[in-house]
């Protein structure tokens, strides 16, 4: 790449001051750059740094060796040939790092006002001097272009770094230098939090280093060519670049009837932007793929631009996501690929869609490789399921990676208006930055996409978001798994897979350590790994524990890390459980030994006063009070000091993340917000069905049992058994939640079900309570509700297009089928109820704070629409099927039919759609949230608050150190971690769910010194736990809205308490997209699956080692 510079190239920027711009004393020995012999395994880089240093954030080790230069020699190139005086000729001399040169005589021509010539030359590099460029081995040569006049005088010298590499699509695979590669990529906008789209070279260099540190090798320049300096940095440090033309017309839609791609008036502009990009950037080896643009539809304009690139630069493949025959794209269904792309580059496909493509094309040598142009939308607490994507990619050769959306949150620094007094304690506000997003700028009502540009792996200031660490883990280039001999108590047999495309394992070392209870006890380093070339595997066996060493009966792990020798930076890790396996912890066996209530010999006297709000269990050191309203502890005093700042309560709700708001979870799951929370502001629900009753046992224990309904319909029931252990100074909580079919009885009679389905498939029938999207045949777009604006504008459906269909508002939705001739209400995800008050007037909103819930407020007749068959009256009275063509007729205030129908129409000044006497055909399609009001909660657990004075420091044994979730925990190893509670709340730009710790065995919360606190010990499988100096409501939206209580993460004020959550089940955070898709099914809770979990609370004083207390408690059992 770059071996021949065309006359049509734009002028290069000025050379640095130290660049050679004069004629040297010996014209045949120009100043040149050097190259060196490759090191062992062919992994060394000639000149400059070794490849192992390139992704170091600091630029490599300080003691990196200096590679020798090949000295200049008079024999580097031929001398200038003699010329006749006055001849109109020019000389281009090209010297490539002392290993290739050519001299070309160029006739000067005149054509009209133009005068000049075109020089062409071929430089051939001997194989012994050839070091191909790749992202892993970014070998660069220095190319000199020297222009002389007819007398041999140097007129100009241009110096340019070039790389030698090939890129092609052959045999159904993308290949660099003939090698099949995997693109571990990210989309990147040019953005800085203080300077906006003005990005300095230093900031670019920082981004390159950070991207490589995250184990990525590819950047898509979304959605425009970047500053020229960016490409030079990618050349030097080693990043593949997908260079994208500045062509996008998303708002015009993708249908052939409306897209600009089919409009001849825009064809020249499209070609000009594509051509200019290619001419400017063609000499950069990092640019391996041209992209025609982004979301601009498909048509003749792009076919022409594609053909131009293939003629102008046949050395690179061309991609275009919109190169398909269908107007829109689908998460699950396969599109029909058009001819104007060499790669299949879908956006936001599911892992299942990737599997289907691989099944159809894995063995097809003519197939287009699949490389996702965008996937895993990193908006807020996101990137769930990323590990599933990469498990599928690794399994199929035709799947060659993709680019996460996107690199950095696009927020702008704003002044932090205020900070709470508690937030300032200990300097916690130091360095805190508030990042503004949509809605923070301009006067009230300024249009924006709210936080939709806050969707990066890193924050605007490049602080890593937690999901960046998951991405780094999912894309690590070295993997270790247990070999045929497995992992024993003393030895390990590893199969190490080297997924680098060009590097062997020579630049890497293996570091290992054995952990007991998450703490390291021994370790070692293997500096010379067995030879393992790229795309190969090798077995490695070593002893990690002496055979004669006595083993304690505790949980043990082997932790393996791979690090670069040059700077010791970690690039990959793996963790293995070690035998013997410990017994599960237990403080309570069976309930044997318990006599009837208050009978038998016991030192504990239960205080049970009729009519009192609490049942009290005192003992020598600990007193526990139980609420009669919940059956759970409300007070826990140890040595006279209260540890609880708020009582234990069931929790079936968590603060919503951006993905959940985008899929309408704030409405769909609203019933769980107050479930089991009688103390919740605005009113929650909990009704005791049995108990609480206390049973004193002969061994001194007291058992408190209860049963309660957590929802008004009686379907969700909580069973609890709490045991006070005076001897262990601990209280044990065992809980079981039946989410559906609890049999508690309902507070209101359930509505009768319609039995007249006519034998139709349920999934095909429009029903009361269904969530649908409404698509216009005429506009080829979906009805969209944004605020009070109702428009048919987008041809891709998501949460903004979801509508709730209601047959009646005086009762909850009953799933009864809808028939032609029925009148329905259409309620948007925002709570807007569509209205047709006047003929020819725009649709309007009259929600008055209403929400898309089963309890939607009463509506007027003008908000009713009659469904009529588009095909005619012969279907009247029959069931309405999703996908069938229909007409939506408005109703007048008297309840009769009006002649106006909903039409997409031209937008009014305020952007609303209209009614018209003209008939327009629409089709209902099923929304992505089936059984909208029958979905399981996102969390099932117990929440309380601890006194802050005894809960500012947290130590835990589980996954960490950052947050983890069921669909995003592969990047969080199991270990013993220690930190401040204040640091466990990650301040996303927009506050939301945060801080969960998966697979937690125990968590100790204490004062800063670790002297006084409370131990939380899992007594079942490892649990999800989290702690904050905030109420969870501060991280959440207001009920049934998208509006945050606290708008910015930097504005969160710490409170004088520590919220503690101990959860039996937790849903994933999702990540396919942020506008409709839910987490993968395996990462969702099920209404049919009861949740059981158990834990113990053990206050302590003067505790140095929580693990020792855990061992003592288990030993007592």
């Amino acid at each position: 790449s770059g071996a021949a510079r065309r006359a049509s190239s734009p002028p290069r920027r000025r050379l640095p001051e130290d660049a050679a711009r004069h004629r040297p004393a010996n014209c045949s020995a120009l100043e040149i750059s050097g190259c060196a012999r490759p090191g062992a395994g062919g992994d060394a880089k000639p000149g400059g740094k070794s490849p192992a240093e390139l992704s170091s954030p600091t630029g490599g080790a300080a003691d990196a060796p200096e590679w020798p230069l090949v000295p200049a020699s008079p024999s580097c190139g031929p001398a200038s040939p003699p010329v006749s005086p006055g001849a109109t000729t020019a000389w281009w001399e090209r010297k490539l790092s002392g290993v290739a040169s050519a001299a070309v005589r160029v006739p000067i021509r005149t054509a009209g006002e133009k005068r000049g010539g075109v020089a062409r030359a071929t430089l051939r590099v001997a194989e012994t001097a050839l070091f191909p460029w790749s992202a892993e081995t970014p070998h660069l040569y220095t190319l000199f272009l020297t222009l002389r006049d007819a007398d041999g005088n140097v007129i100009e010298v241009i110096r340019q770094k070039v790389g030698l590499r090939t890129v092609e699509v052959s045999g159904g695979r993308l290949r660099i230098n003939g090698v099949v590669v995997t693109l571990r990529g990210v989309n990147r906008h040019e953005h800085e939090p203080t300077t906006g789209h003005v990005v300095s070279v230093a900031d670019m260099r920082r981004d390159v280093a950070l991207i490589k540190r995250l184990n990525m090798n590819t950047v898509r320049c979304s959605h425009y060519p970047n500053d020229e300096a960016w490409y030079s940095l990618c050349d030097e440090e080693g990043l593949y670049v997908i260079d994208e033309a500045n062509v996008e017309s998303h708002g015009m839609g993708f249908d052939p009837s409306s897209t600009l791609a089919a409009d001849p008036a825009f064809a020249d502009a499209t070609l000009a932007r594509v051509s200019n990009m290619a001419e400017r950037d063609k000499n950069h080896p990092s640019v391996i793929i041209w992209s025609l643009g982004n979301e601009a539809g498909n048509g003749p304009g792009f076919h022409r631009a594609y053909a131009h690139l293939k003629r102008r630069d046949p050395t690179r493949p061309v991609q275009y996501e919109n190169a398909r025959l269908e107007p829109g794209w689908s998460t699950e269904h396969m599109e029909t690929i058009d001819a104007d792309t060499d790669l299949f580059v879908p956006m936001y496909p599911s892992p299942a869609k990737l599997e289907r493509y691989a099944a159809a094309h894995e063995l097809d040598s003519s197939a287009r490789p699949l490389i996702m142009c965008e996937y895993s939308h990193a908006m807020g607490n996101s990137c769930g399921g990323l590990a599933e994507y990469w498990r599928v990619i690794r399994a199929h050769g035709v799947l060659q990676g993709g680019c996460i959306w996107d690199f950095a949150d696009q927020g702008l620094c704003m002044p932090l208006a205020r900070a709470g007094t508690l937030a300032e304690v200990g300097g916690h506000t130091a360095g805190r930055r508030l990042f503004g997003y949509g809605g923070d700028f301009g006067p009230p009502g300024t249009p924006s996409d709210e936080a939709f540009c806050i969707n990066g792996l890193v924050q605007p200031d490049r602080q890593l978001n937690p999901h960046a660490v998951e991405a780094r883990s999912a894309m690590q280039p070295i993997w270790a798994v247990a070999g045929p001999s497995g992992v024993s108590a003393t030895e390990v047999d590893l199969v190490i897979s080297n997924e680098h495309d060009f590097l062997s394992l020579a630049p890497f070392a293996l570091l290992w350590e054995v952990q007991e209870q998450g703490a390291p006890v021994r370790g070692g380093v293997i500096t010379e790994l067995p030879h393992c070339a790229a795309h190969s595997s090798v077995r490695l066996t070593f002893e990690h524990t002496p055979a004669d060493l006595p083993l304690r009966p505790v949980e043990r792990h082997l932790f393996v890390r791979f690090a670069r020798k040059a700077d010791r930076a970690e690039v990959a890790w793996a963790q293995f459980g070690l035998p013997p396996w410990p017994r599960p912890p237990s403080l309570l066996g069976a309930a044997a030994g318990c006599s009837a209530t208050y009978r038998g010999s016991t030192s504990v006297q239960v205080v049970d006063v009729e009519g009192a709000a609490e049942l009290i269990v005192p003992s020598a050191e600990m007193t526990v009070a139980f609420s009669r309203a919940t059956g759970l502890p409300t007070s826990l005093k140890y040595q006279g000091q209260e540890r609880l700042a708020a009582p234990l309560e069931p929790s079936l709700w968590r603060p919503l993340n951006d993905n959940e708001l985008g899929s309408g979870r704030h409405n769909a799951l609203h019933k769980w917000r107050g479930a089991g929370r009688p103390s919740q502001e605005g009113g929650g629900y909990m009704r005791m069905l049995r108990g609480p009753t206390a049973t004193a046992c002969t061994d001194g224990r007291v058992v408190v049992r209860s049963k309660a309904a957590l929802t008004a319909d009686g379907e969700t029931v909580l069973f609890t058994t709490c045991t006070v252990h005076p001897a262990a100074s601990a209280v044990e909580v065992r809980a079981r939640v039946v989410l559906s079919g609890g049999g508690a009885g309902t507070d209101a009679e359930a509505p009768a079900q319609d039995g007249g389905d006519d034998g139709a498939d349920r999934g095909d029938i429009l029903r009361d309570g269904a969530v649908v999207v409404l698509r216009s045949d005429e506009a080829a777009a979906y009805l969209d509700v944004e605020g009070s604006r109702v428009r048919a504008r987008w041809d891709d459906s998501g949460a903004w297009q979801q509508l709730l269909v209601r047959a009646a508002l005086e009762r909850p939705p009953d799933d009864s089928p809808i028939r032609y001739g029925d009148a329905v209400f259409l309620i948007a995800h925002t709570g807007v109820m569509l209205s047709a008050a006047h003929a020819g007037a725009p649709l309007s909103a009259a929600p008055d704070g209403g929400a898309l819930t089963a309890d939607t407020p009463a509506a007027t007749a003008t908000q009713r629409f009659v469904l009529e068959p588009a095909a005619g009256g012969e279907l009247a009275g029959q069931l309405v099927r999703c996908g069938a063509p229909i007409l939506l007729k408005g109703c007048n205030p008297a309840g009769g039919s009006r002649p106006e129908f909903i039409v997409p129409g031209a937008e009014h000044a305020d952007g609303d759609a209209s009614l018209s006497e003209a008939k327009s055909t629409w089709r209902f399609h099923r929304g992505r949230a089936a059984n909208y009001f029958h979905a399981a909660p996102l969390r099932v657990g117990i929440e309380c608050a601890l006194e802050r004075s005894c809960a500012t420091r947290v130590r835990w044994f589980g996954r960490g150190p950052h947050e983890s979730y069921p669909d995003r925990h592969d990047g969080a190893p199991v270990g013993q971690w220690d930190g401040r509670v204040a640091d466990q709340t990650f301040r996303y730009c927009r506050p939301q769910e945060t801080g969960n710790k998966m697979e937690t065995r125990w968590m100790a919360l204490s004062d800063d010194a670790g002297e006084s606190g409370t131990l939380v010990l899992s007594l079942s499988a490892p649990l999800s736990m989290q702690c904050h100096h905030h109420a969870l409501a501060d991280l959440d939206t207001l009920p049934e809205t998208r509006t945050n209580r606290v708008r910015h993460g930097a504005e969160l004020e710490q409170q004088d308490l520590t919220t503690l959550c101990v959860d039996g089940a937790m849903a994933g955070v999702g990540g396919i997209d942020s506008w409709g898709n839910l987490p993968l099914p395996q990462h969702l809770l099920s209404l049919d699956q009861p949740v059981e979990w158990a834990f113990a609370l053990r206050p302590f004083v003067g505790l140095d080692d929580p693990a020792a207390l855990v061992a003592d408690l288990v030993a007592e059992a």
Side-chain angles (χ1 to χ4, degrees):
S1 173
R5 186 165 181 258
R6 305 300 187 189
S8 56
S9 298
R12 305 297 299 178
R13 61 175 58 191
R14 290 180 60 85
L15 290 176
E17 292 300 322
D18 61 346
R21 298 189 61 86
H22 60 278
R23 182 179 183 183
N26 185 340
C27 66
S28 62
L30 296 177
E31 179 184 353
I32 61 173
S33 65
C35 65
R37 288 179 176 274
D43 294 331
K45 175 179 182 287
K49 299 177 291 186
S50 69
E53 297 172 62
L54 293 176
S55 55
S56 168
T58 60
D63 57 352
E66 291 294 331
W67 297 92
L69 296 176
V70 176
S73 166
S75 61
C76 289
S80 303
V83 295
S84 303
T88 55
T89 61
W91 287 92
W92 281 91
E93 185 176 46
R94 300 162 184 258
K95 289 178 176 286
L96 184 59
S97 211
V99 295
S101 64
V104 182
R105 183 173 179 173
V106 185
I108 300 300
R109 303 180 185 278
T110 301
E113 296 181 356
K114 294 183 179 181
R115 187 168 185 270
V118 176
R120 293 183 174 89
T122 300
L123 302 181
R124 301 193 181 278
V125 179
E127 187 174 352
T128 55
L130 178 61
F131 303 103
W133 186 97
S134 72
E136 296 171 15
T137 57
H139 307 319
L140 290 177
Y141 299 79
T142 300
L143 174 69
F144 285 92
L145 299 95
T146 304
L147 177 65
R148 295 193 177 110
D149 63 16
D151 298 326
N153 301 312
V154 174
I155 299 174
E156 182 181 10
V157 176
I158 293 178
R159 184 179 66 177
Q160 179 175 340
K161 295 288 187 180
V162 296
L164 304 179
R165 61 106 186 93
T166 63
V167 56
E168 61 183 331
V169 175
S170 64
R173 304 291 186 269
L174 174 69
R175 303 171 190 268
I176 304 288
N177 301 327
V179 175
V180 177
V181 297
T182 300
L183 302 191
R184 301 170 169 89
V186 67
N187 285 270
R188 175 184 174 271
H189 273 290
E190 292 181 307
H191 182 84
E192 286 294 317
T194 56
T195 58
H197 294 324
V198 179
V199 184
S200 70
V201 174
D203 291 334
M204 295 180 205
R205 189 177 295 277
R206 173 210 57 201
D207 283 357
V208 169
L210 181 54
I211 290 169
K212 291 183 71 70
R213 192 175 63 164
L214 293 175
N215 283 331
M216 298 179 182
N217 63 7
T218 304
V219 172
R220 178 181 177 224
C221 294
S222 52
H223 298 292
Y224 39 80
N226 283 199
D227 187 295
E228 290 179 77
W230 173 255
Y231 302 89
S232 295
L233 290 172
C234 293
D235 293 343
E236 294 169 12
E237 301 298 336
L239 278 178
Y240 298 127
V241 173
I242 300 172
D243 206 7
E244 188 155 275
N246 184 19
V247 181
E248 177 163 0
S249 55
H250 192 170
M252 297 300 296
F254 308 139
D255 190 87
S257 64
S258 59
T259 179
L260 301 187
D263 188 338
F266 291 88
D268 288 347
T270 299
L271 179 60
R273 295 190 177 202
V274 170
S275 176
N276 288 347
M277 169 191 68
E279 294 301 334
R280 190 195 72 168
D281 299 337
K282 63 181 179 292
N283 289 329
H284 289 282
S286 58
V287 177
I288 63 167
I289 298 171
W290 301 121
S291 171
L292 298 179
N294 180 71
E295 295 182 299
N298 194 27
F302 284 96
H303 292 128
R304 178 185 174 196
Y306 172 85
H308 169 82
L309 283 180
K310 300 307 289 185
R311 289 193 302 271
R312 185 70 181 88
D313 178 19
T315 70
R316 291 179 176 93
V318 177
Q319 73 173 48
Y320 185 45
E321 182 273 331
N322 269 190
R324 58 176 182 260
L325 300 187
E326 298 82 4
W329 54 269
S330 169
T331 300
E332 300 294 345
H333 304 297
M334 209 65 64
E335 296 82 11
T336 308
I337 308 172
D338 202 355
D340 49 337
T341 185
D342 300 318
L343 308 165
F344 180 34
V345 287
M347 55 173 57
Y348 308 107
S350 68
K353 181 175 180 177
L354 301 187
E355 291 268 24
R356 285 192 288 273
Y357 188 85
H361 300 287
E362 179 76 0
L363 302 178
D364 184 358
S365 61
S366 63
R368 292 176 173 88
L370 188 154
I371 300 171
M372 295 172 284
C373 69
E374 297 175 24
Y375 78 108
S376 193
H377 199 259
M379 184 176 179
N381 187 348
S382 188
C383 291
L386 193 57
E388 277 67 22
Y389 276 103
W390 279 90
R391 290 187 186 105
V392 175
I393 291 170
R394 287 186 169 93
H396 304 284
V398 74
L399 307 179
Q400 291 187 251
C403 297
I404 291 174
W405 185 270
D406 63 3
F407 176 56
D409 292 336
Q410 294 154 57
L412 295 173
C413 285
M414 298 179 66
L416 184 58
R418 61 189 179 90
T421 55
L422 283 171
E424 296 171 352
V425 173
H428 293 352
T429 60
R432 189 193 302 180
R433 307 176 76 180
L434 187 153
F435 299 112
Y437 53 85
D440 288 329
F441 309 100
T446 299
S448 79
D449 256 348
E450 284 293 318
F452 208 74
C453 287
I454 305 296
N455 47 22
L457 293 174
V458 301
Q459 297 212 322
D461 61 355
R462 274 44 175 187
Q463 176 189 0
L464 297 186
N465 283 318
H467 41 279
V469 185
E470 183 78 1
R472 175 181 179 273
S473 174
M475 290 182 272
Q476 64 185 32
I478 305 174
W479 287 85
V481 298
S485 300
V487 180
S488 72
T490 59
E491 280 193 340
V492 61
D493 176 22
L494 295 180
V495 174
I496 302 173
S497 296
N498 180 12
E499 294 187 355
H500 286 97
D501 296 320
F502 299 96
L503 286 178
S504 74
L505 291 183
F508 304 95
L510 183 150
L511 297 81
W512 62 270
E513 67 181 25
V514 174
Q515 302 169 337
E516 292 184 354
Q517 291 279 65
V521 294
R522 72 185 61 85
V525 180
I526 301 174
T527 57
E528 298 300 327
L529 294 171
H531 175 70
C532 183
H535 295 179
S536 301
S537 298
V538 66
R539 285 182 65 182
L540 176 67
T541 302
F542 62 89
E543 181 184 70
H544 57 76
T545 301
D548 57 353
L549 185 70
L551 300 179
R552 296 196 301 151
V554 296
E555 188 171 2
R556 304 166 67 234
H557 290 90
L558 175 65
F559 190 56
V560 174
R561 297 189 298 127
F562 296 90
R564 290 190 299 266
K565 297 176 186 178
D567 59 2
R568 301 186 180 181
E570 179 184 301
V571 298
W573 63 270
Q575 193 172 35
F576 307 89
L578 294 176
W581 315 115
R583 294 182 296 110
S586 175
L587 291 178
L588 177 68
C594 291
S595 61
T597 306
Y598 309 139
R599 294 179 186 174
S601 174
T602 176
S603 60
V604 178
Q605 298 296 321
V606 179
V607 180
D608 185 5
V609 179
E610 186 176 353
E614 295 177 328
L615 186 153
I616 301 174
V617 182
S619 62
E621 290 205 325
M622 184 180 70
T623 298
V624 186
F626 292 87
S627 168
R628 291 189 181 278
T630 65
L632 293 168
T634 59
S635 172
L636 177 60
K637 292 181 179 179
Y638 183 70
Q639 297 181 358
Q641 183 183 31
E642 179 62 68
R643 297 303 170 88
L644 293 183
L648 275 70
E649 288 188 345
S651 176
L652 278 71
W653 182 265
R654 75 181 187 197
L656 298 174
N657 67 19
D658 287 305
N659 294 336
E660 289 148 6
L661 290 175
S663 59
R665 301 289 88 188
H666 57 299
N667 290 316
L669 303 179
H670 80 102
K671 68 174 285 186
W672 304 115
R673 185 183 286 268
R677 307 303 299 275
S679 66
Q680 179 172 287
E681 177 186 355
Y685 185 90
M686 188 171 185
R687 176 166 56 94
M688 294 303 298
L689 302 174
R690 184 174 65 239
T693 60
T695 302
C697 305
T698 56
D699 61 2
R701 293 175 295 138
V702 175
V703 181
V704 179
R705 296 183 176 91
S706 65
K707 175 183 178 182
L710 303 184
T711 54
D713 58 13
E715 286 291 298
T716 304
V717 177
L718 168 69
F719 301 84
T720 58
T721 300
C722 299
T723 305
V724 178
H725 297 260
S729 296
V731 57
E732 174 184 352
V733 179
R734 292 185 177 272
R736 182 173 188 264
V737 171
V738 179
L739 292 171
S740 181
T746 60
D747 284 354
E749 183 176 340
Q753 298 293 313
D754 188 298
D757 278 12
D758 298 343
D761 176 20
R762 294 182 55 85
D764 189 39
I765 301 301
L766 186 66
R767 296 177 177 275
D768 181 25
V771 173
V772 298
V773 291
L774 187 59
R775 190 174 192 273
S776 164
D777 282 2
E778 176 183 329
Y782 292 88
L783 198 69
D784 177 300
V785 180
E786 181 183 14
S788 61
R789 295 151 63 92
V790 183
R791 294 169 286 179
R793 53 174 179 160
W794 303 115
D795 193 31
D796 47 349
S797 63
W800 296 329
Q801 288 79 26
Q802 288 184 352
L803 299 170
L804 173 67
V805 178
R806 293 301 320 279
L809 300 178
E810 63 275 6
R811 55 175 171 76
D814 60 9
D815 205 38
S816 58
I818 305 294
R819 301 175 183 275
Y820 289 111
D822 289 348
V824 299
F825 302 92
L826 300 176
I827 308 168
H829 67 97
T830 57
V832 170
M833 190 177 299
L834 305 191
S835 175
H838 303 287
L843 296 169
S844 61
D848 293 330
L852 189 145
T853 71
D855 304 316
T856 303
T860 66
T862 61
Q863 293 166 321
R864 298 169 67 241
F865 297 92
V866 176
L867 305 184
E868 293 191 352
E874 66 274 8
L875 295 177
Q878 295 190 26
L879 296 175
V880 178
R881 298 177 181 274
C882 290
I886 62 168
L887 306 175
L888 288 166
K889 182 189 297 184
C891 297
N892 65 27
S897 297
R898 295 184 63 89
E900 287 80 29
F901 296 83
I902 293 183
V903 295
E907 293 188 8
H908 291 255
D910 59 359
D912 294 323
S914 299
L915 296 179
S916 170
E917 293 185 14
K919 296 181 179 180
S920 183
T921 302
W922 297 81
R923 298 173 192 266
F924 284 109
H925 296 283
R926 299 291 294 184
R928 295 178 180 176
N931 300 318
Y932 201 66
F933 294 114
H934 305 283
L938 301 173
R939 147 190 284 145
V940 176
I942 288 178
E943 177 188 335
C944 68
L946 304 178
E947 290 288 346
R948 180 178 173 129
S949 60
C950 296
T952 55
R953 177 185 177 188
V954 59
R955 288 167 283 180
W956 76 97
F957 177 27
R959 290 195 178 270
H962 52 277
E963 64 189 33
S964 53
Y965 291 86
D967 57 354
R968 203 190 74 213
H969 64 263
D970 282 21
V974 174
Q976 192 174 140
W977 312 99
D978 189 350
R980 299 185 312 164
V981 170
D983 295 332
Q984 308 315 308
T985 305
F986 187 82
R987 293 176 182 269
Y988 290 98
C989 294
R990 188 193 71 78
Q992 54 199 278
E993 163 65 27
T994 179
N996 188 62
K997 318 293 187 192
M998 287 284 294
E999 299 179 23
T1000 303
R1001 283 74 166 165
W1002 54 259
M1003 178 178 285
L1005 296 118
S1006 66
D1007 56 18
D1008 289 341
E1011 291 294 319
S1012 179
T1014 304
L1015 174 72
V1016 187
L1017 173 63
S1018 170
L1019 299 176
S1020 51
L1023 302 175
S1024 290
M1025 300 186 192
Q1026 59 180 272
C1027 55
H1028 309 274
H1029 285 324
H1030 309 277
L1032 294 187
D1034 292 343
L1035 307 173
D1036 204 5
T1037 59
L1038 296 170
E1040 282 80 56
T1041 75
R1042 296 172 178 267
T1043 304
N1044 272 75
R1045 292 179 184 270
V1046 180
R1047 183 169 175 81
H1048 304 96
E1051 294 174 326
L1052 286 169
E1053 297 184 15
Q1054 296 184 27
Q1055 300 186 16
D1056 194 15
L1057 53 75
T1058 298
T1059 299
L1060 170 67
C1061 297
V1062 184
D1063 299 318
M1066 176 74 74
V1069 296
I1072 292 178
D1073 60 40
S1074 301
W1075 49 86
N1077 271 295
L1078 303 181
L1080 298 175
Q1082 62 267 34
H1083 300 141
L1084 290 171
L1085 277 59
S1086 170
L1087 290 175
D1088 300 325
Q1089 182 64 47
V1091 179
E1092 299 186 42
W1093 74 109
F1095 61 94
L1097 299 176
R1098 202 311 191 163
F1100 61 82
V1101 173
L1103 180 65
D1104 292 328
D1105 184 8
L1109 178 57
V1110 171
D1112 290 342
L1113 290 173
V1114 174
E1116 288 180 12

